[in-house]
Amino acid sequence: MTDLAADHQALHTRACDLFGVKYPIVQTGMGYVSNSTLTAATAAAGGLGIIAGGMLAYEELAEAIAEVQAQTDNPFGVNLRADQADIDKRIDLLIRSGVKVASFALAPKQALIGRLKDAGLVVVPSIGARRHAEKVASWGVDAVIVQGGEGGGHTGAVPTSLLLPQVVDAVDIPVIAAGGYFDGRGLVSALSYGAAGIAMGTRFMMTSDSPVAKQVKDVYLSKSVNDTVVTLEIDGVPQRVLRAGTIDQLESTTGPGRMIRAGRNALAFQKLSGTPWRDMIREGLAMKKSHELGWSQVVMAANAPMLYRSALVDGRVDVGVMATGQVVGLIEDVPSCSELINRIVAEANSVLARLSA
């Protein structure tokens, strides 16, 4: 185990104090992956675990929060979607439950940020451009997660090595670097740019505490850094995913076939989640407006929940879609969260000692 007394002072950052954690390492809120078990394991190991609340019904989210709190007293976070119809109710739940951090894939409105901060929560949106960081910083967020183009899921085109210093120079709040991180060397490199820590998705998904099935993890282990693709065909917004499963079929399907498949998936997701049609339509309209999507892209967005669920929950790697960062090609094992975090910290200490010498 890593001994706090032996850790280099550079590893205790503003993020550690802000989140109340031992190490500046964040496990991102990945849909269908970041459940209570993974979040609690990360928190117990000294990092910041984040529950993926966007794909959970309200009752499921309340249960997940209670399960994490039953497993650890350490702080953790919940990732929310600001455009959800019941967002106010979910925020009340976080406040009432004493959750430490509220994270967002899309920045919430300024009034929502103020409400969370007034209740004592730390607000951390994810951003992919300097101008977005400047905007949310002016709204009063406490920190930002900056994801470069190497990252998995929804991503931009600018690599972390260029985006991170841009954002660090533009804002005076803690910046958490994401996209391409998996070890202690990466943590030190992020700190050298001025970041206050790193956030990892794919690396935490590839742990023994992750709920993803072994056969899915085996597919990830078999891939190289060249086995990912950025596609618009899932929900109309660029996403980096594994070149596996149905992605080639998705990219080759045209007009009518694409719309029919999207409609079927929307129906399946509505039945599975119990989400009222009016809420799905409202969310679709909000997505169309915020991302300037066409109607065909809005319909395509209905694919996303079912495609991810097929692979990550049902283990159907042949028909599902699997988000991943390019870092997948550098991951060679499936440790526990405790083993992973201690390994990263030990390696970071070693690198810092070597540089100091």
Side-chain angles (χ1 to χ4, degrees), residues 19-30 33-53 64-65 68-69 72 74-79 99-103 124 145 198-200 204 337 341:
F19 302 143
V21 298
K22 188 175 181 180
Y23 301 123
I25 299 172
V26 177
Q27 162 247 307
T28 59
M30 299 165 280
V33 176
S34 300
N35 64 356
S36 59
T37 300
L38 179 60
T39 301
T42 303
L48 179 68
I50 298 179
I51 297 172
I65 291 172
V68 173
Q69 292 175 330
T72 180
N74 290 349
F76 64 96
V78 172
N79 181 261
V99 172
K100 177 70 174 181
V101 176
S103 76
V124 187
I145 295 176
I198 58 173
M200 304 184 297
F204 273 109
C337 286
I341 289 177

Side-chain angles (χ1 to χ4, degrees), residues 152-288:
H154 292 114
T155 195
V158 181
T160 306
S161 59
L162 301 179
L163 179 61
L164 179 57
Q166 271 193 322
V167 175
V168 167
D169 290 345
V171 299
D172 60 3
I173 57 177
V175 175
I176 310 300
Y181 296 102
F182 71 106
D183 65 0
R185 295 172 298 176
L187 173 56
V188 174
S189 72
L191 297 180
S192 74
Y193 275 117
I198 58 173
M200 304 184 297
T202 305
R203 178 65 274 196
F204 273 109
M205 186 194 71
M206 294 295 290
T207 62
S208 59
D209 297 299
S210 159
V212 175
K214 181 181 182 300
Q215 65 266 30
V216 179
K217 292 175 181 175
D218 287 343
V219 172
Y220 277 83
L221 288 172
S222 71
K223 298 300 182 179
S224 75
V225 294
N226 296 316
D227 289 325
T228 72
V229 60
V230 176
T231 180
L232 297 172
E233 300 306 330
I234 299 173
D235 63 2
V237 182
Q239 291 196 52
R240 185 178 296 281
V241 299
L242 277 184
R243 192 179 292 280
T246 62
I247 193 61
D248 290 332
Q249 179 184 359
L250 277 172
E251 293 204 311
S252 63
T253 304
T254 57
R258 179 182 304 171
M259 297 289 280
I260 291 171
R261 185 182 62 251
R264 288 174 177 169
N265 282 335
L267 179 61
F269 178 69
Q270 192 278 331
K271 289 181 177 179
L272 182 68
S273 65
T275 304
W277 279 111
R278 63 180 180 276
D279 291 346
M280 292 184 66
I281 293 171
R282 185 182 301 117
E283 290 178 14
L285 291 172
M287 180 179 293
K288 184 179 188 298

Side-chain angles (χ1 to χ4, degrees), residues 290-291 329:
S290 62
H291 293 294

Side-chain angles (χ1 to χ4, degrees), residues 302-327:
N303 281 305
M306 293 307 297
L307 290 171
Y308 281 120
R309 181 183 175 86
S310 294
L312 300 176
V313 177
D314 302 331
R316 293 293 308 277
V317 297
D318 56 330
V319 298
V321 166
M322 294 166 278
T324 185
Q326 286 181 295
V327 74

